Amino acid sequence: MQPSSPHPAPRSQGVGEPEPPKSTSGPSAGGPSGHLACPALPFLRGIPYLSKHRADRMRRLGDFLNQESFDLALLEEVWSEQDFQYLRQKLSPTYPAAHHFRSGIIGSGLCVFSKHPIQEITQHVYTLNGYPYMIHHGDWFSGKAVGLLVLHLSGMVLNAYVTHLHAEYNRRKDIYLAHRVAQAWELAQFIHHTSKKADVVLLCGDLNMHPEDLGCCLLKEWTGLRDAYLETRDFKGSEEGNTMVPKNCYVNQQELKPFPFGVRIDYMLYKAVSGFYISCKSLETTTGNDPYSGTPLSDHEALMATLFVRHSPPQQNPNSTHRPAERSPLMSVLKEAWTELGLGMAQARWWAAFASYVIGLGLLLLALLCVLAAGGGAREAAILLWTPSVGLVLWAGAFYLFHVQEVNGLYRAHAELQHVLGRAREAQDLGPEPQPALLLGQQEGDRTKEQ
C-alpha cells in the first residue's frame, strides 16, 4: 500500500507466477479518506536451478519495488531463503519490515515487505494440498498457505492476506478440483474469522481459478469480497484482465491453447467494513512485458490498482444491505461445493480401499515367502522377492494413510458446509430449496459490521 497523497497513488501490480509483491496504501494521515495503492507484482518463479533468469529477474524486481515505493509488497513464490534474504537486504531502505511465511518441505513461497510496521502476523496452512506421489507437480511439498498481516494506517486497521492455491494442470480432467475447493473454503473461513476487527480487508493472490470456477465463486460469495477488475471503471491492460497471456515468453503456450487471449487466475479482492467505504479507482495490468526493461518478471502479469477508502455512515455504505434475493447465489454455490467435496471424498475412499487390498495381498505374499524360505524348496527365490514385497507393503501403507488423511480433510470441509446449509434451512424453515434470507448468524455477523 502506498501512502495517499494529493497525486494519484502508485499503481498496484498484479500477482505473478511466483507472485510478485503487492502493495497497498492507506488513508492519508490526518484525513478520513485516502488512496490505497495495491500492487501485486508478477514475480518470477523463484525455484533454485529450475527458474529461467532467476537472478536477473530477482534483481529487477527489487529495483522495481524500490523505484515504485509501495506501502506493502506481497510475493508468492520465493522458495529460496537466500532469495528472500537478498530481497530483504535490497529493499530494507524502502521496506523496513519483512516476513517470510515458512511451511511444508520447501516453504510456502509467501513473503511480505512493508513500509509500515506490521502489528500482527500469522498464517494458516491448507489441510489438503495435492498428493506427495505427484512429485512432478510439487504442490504438496510447498505447503500452500495463506499469510495474514495487520497494519494500522492513519487510524484504519488493514487486514492484508496473501495466498497461493493449488495449480490446476489439466482443466478437462482436474484431479485437484476437490482440494482447491476445500482450500477456497478454508481461505474464506480464515478471512471470515480473522477480519472481525478490521476496517479494510485486502486479499491478493494466485488462486489458480478462473472467475467462474466454483472455488472462486465460493470465496467471494462467502466473504463478500469484491473483485477489483469487475469493480473499477478505469481499466488498462491485457484483454479481459487476463494475468497469463500468450505474449509472455515464460508462459507454456500449450497450456493456453484453449484460451487464445489468456486466462485470469490472479486476483485483487477487497471490502470495507465498520463504517468505511472502499472503491477501485483504477486497475492496470502488464501485457507480457516488464514495464521498464521489456523482459517479463514472471509468467503471470502484474495487477496495478488504486483503491479509494473513506469513512462512510452506515446508511451510505453500498455493502450494508443484502436482501434475500441478493444472497440466493450463495446458497447455490454452497450446495455445489458440498456436492463436489462429497465426490472428492468418495474418490479418496476408493483409493484408500484399494491401498488396503494391496496391503493385504502384500502381507499374504510375505507369509508365503516365509513358508517357502523355511521349507528350503525355493529359498533363493523367496529371499529375492522378500525386499520388493516389503517395499510394496510399505508403499501401500503410506498410500493408505495419506488417502485416509485426505478423506478426513475433505470430510471436515464437507461437514462445515453441511452445517451451514442446515442452519440456513432451519432459519428459513423451507425444506429442500431454501432461500438464504437470514443465512446464519456466522455469515450475518460478518456483513452486519458494515451496517
Side-chain angles (χ1 to χ4, degrees):
M1 258 183 199
Q2 203 148 358
S4 62
S5 55
H7 52 78
R11 305 179 307 269
S12 98
Q13 194 139 352
V15 282
E17 187 181 27
E19 287 248 326
K22 305 155 188 179
S23 83
T24 54
S25 89
S28 54
S33 65
H35 292 90
L36 209 65
C38 308
L41 245 84
F43 176 50
L44 65 150
R45 185 181 293 275
I47 305 177
Y49 312 113
L50 296 180
S51 300
K52 297 178 181 178
H53 316 124
R54 178 175 128 257
D56 175 65
R57 288 194 282 168
M58 191 78 68
R59 175 186 58 79
R60 290 189 290 112
L61 175 63
D63 292 340
F64 177 84
L65 290 176
N66 277 328
Q67 182 172 347
E68 294 296 325
S69 186
F70 297 118
D71 285 311
L72 180 65
L74 312 172
L75 292 81
E76 295 172 7
E77 291 196 17
V78 182
W79 310 111
S80 166
E81 178 66 20
Q82 181 182 357
D83 288 342
F84 170 72
Q85 293 300 336
Y86 167 81
L87 285 173
R88 184 174 195 169
Q89 181 177 5
K90 188 179 182 71
L91 299 175
S92 59
T94 310
Y95 307 90
H99 182 77
H100 194 191
F101 295 97
R102 294 172 177 84
S103 64
I105 296 174
I106 63 175
S108 68
L110 307 175
C111 63
V112 299
F113 299 91
S114 175
K115 182 181 293 185
H116 308 280
I118 299 174
Q119 304 300 322
E120 300 176 41
I121 196 161
T122 189
Q123 73 182 94
H124 171 75
V125 180
Y126 297 122
T127 305
L128 298 172
N129 189 37
Y131 306 108
Y133 48 82
M134 302 294 281
I135 300 175
H136 57 297
H137 288 165
D139 293 73
W140 185 85
F141 299 92
S142 67
K144 296 290 179 67
V146 51
L148 161 65
L149 57 153
V150 179
L151 301 178
H152 294 174
L153 303 176
S154 304
M156 177 188 73
V157 178
L158 168 70
N159 274 25
Y161 301 83
V162 57
T163 192
H164 189 184
L165 302 190
H166 198 295
E168 186 175 63
Y169 296 109
N170 189 332
R171 192 161 181 83
R172 292 184 178 180
K173 190 177 181 181
D174 187 3
I175 62 175
Y176 301 113
L177 177 58
H179 285 214
R180 206 159 44 252
V181 171
Q183 287 181 343
W185 175 248
E186 281 189 57
L187 173 59
Q189 286 285 71
F190 182 73
I191 293 173
H192 169 72
H193 289 292
T194 58
S195 63
K196 293 181 179 180
K197 294 182 179 180
D199 298 312
V200 173
V201 175
L202 174 68
L203 169 65
C204 296
D206 179 357
L207 301 184
N208 275 312
M209 295 183 289
H210 297 213
E212 70 278 6
D213 286 355
L214 173 60
C216 192
C217 295
L218 177 65
L219 172 63
K220 290 191 287 187
E221 288 292 337
W222 184 250
T223 60
L225 291 170
R226 294 185 285 160
D227 190 333
Y229 171 72
L230 300 178
E231 295 292 326
T232 187
R233 296 184 179 181
D234 181 10
F235 173 77
K236 297 177 183 178
S238 56
E239 188 163 345
E240 298 180 355
N242 292 328
T243 56
M244 279 189 82
V245 297
K247 282 181 61 178
N248 191 304
C249 63
Y250 294 118
V251 168
N252 185 332
Q253 302 298 325
Q254 194 68 24
E255 294 179 357
L256 286 185
K257 264 192 173 181
F259 310 99
F261 299 108
V263 295
R264 186 163 76 96
I265 59 176
D266 305 295
Y267 297 85
M268 189 176 297
L269 309 176
Y270 60 83
K271 71 174 180 178
V273 294
S274 62
F276 279 83
Y277 170 78
I278 185 171
S279 62
C280 184
K281 189 173 183 180
S282 64
L283 179 69
E284 183 180 354
T285 72
T286 53
T287 55
N289 298 308
D290 182 321
Y292 299 107
S293 70
T295 306
L297 290 173
S298 167
D299 63 342
H300 289 221
E301 301 308 313
L303 295 170
M304 297 162 281
T306 300
L307 304 180
F308 177 75
V309 182
R310 63 175 171 83
H311 282 293
S312 174
Q315 65 272 19
Q316 295 181 13
N317 194 321
N319 293 332
S320 61
T321 57
H322 290 266
R323 296 182 299 275
E326 293 175 317
R327 251 190 233 110
S328 57
L330 173 60
M331 289 300 295
S332 175
V333 169
L334 289 173
K335 286 189 281 187
E336 187 178 351
W338 179 84
T339 301
E340 186 58 47
L341 292 177
L343 295 174
M345 277 197 300
Q347 184 72 10
R349 287 193 180 107
W350 188 92
W351 282 114
F354 173 78
S356 67
Y357 293 142
V358 174
I359 292 172
L361 292 174
L363 292 175
L364 185 62
L365 177 60
L366 286 174
L368 179 61
L369 291 176
C370 288
V371 172
L372 291 175
R379 184 182 181 85
E380 293 183 358
I383 294 175
L384 188 64
L385 292 174
W386 177 266
T387 300
S389 298
V390 170
L392 176 64
V393 171
L394 292 177
W395 175 86
F399 194 85
Y400 171 81
L401 291 176
F402 173 78
H403 282 287
V404 168
Q405 180 192 35
E406 181 187 19
V407 170
N408 290 334
L410 290 171
Y411 177 82
R412 187 185 77 170
H414 188 265
E416 290 177 3
L417 285 168
Q418 185 169 352
H419 175 74
V420 169
L421 292 168
R423 286 291 304 277
R425 291 190 181 97
E426 291 174 7
Q428 299 306 308
D429 194 26
L430 292 177
E433 294 293 334
Q435 295 297 320
L438 300 169
L439 184 51
L440 66 151
Q442 179 185 24
Q443 179 70 2
E444 277 296 302
D446 184 37
R447 292 182 175 178
T448 54
K449 289 183 63 181
E450 297 176 330
Q451 298 181 10

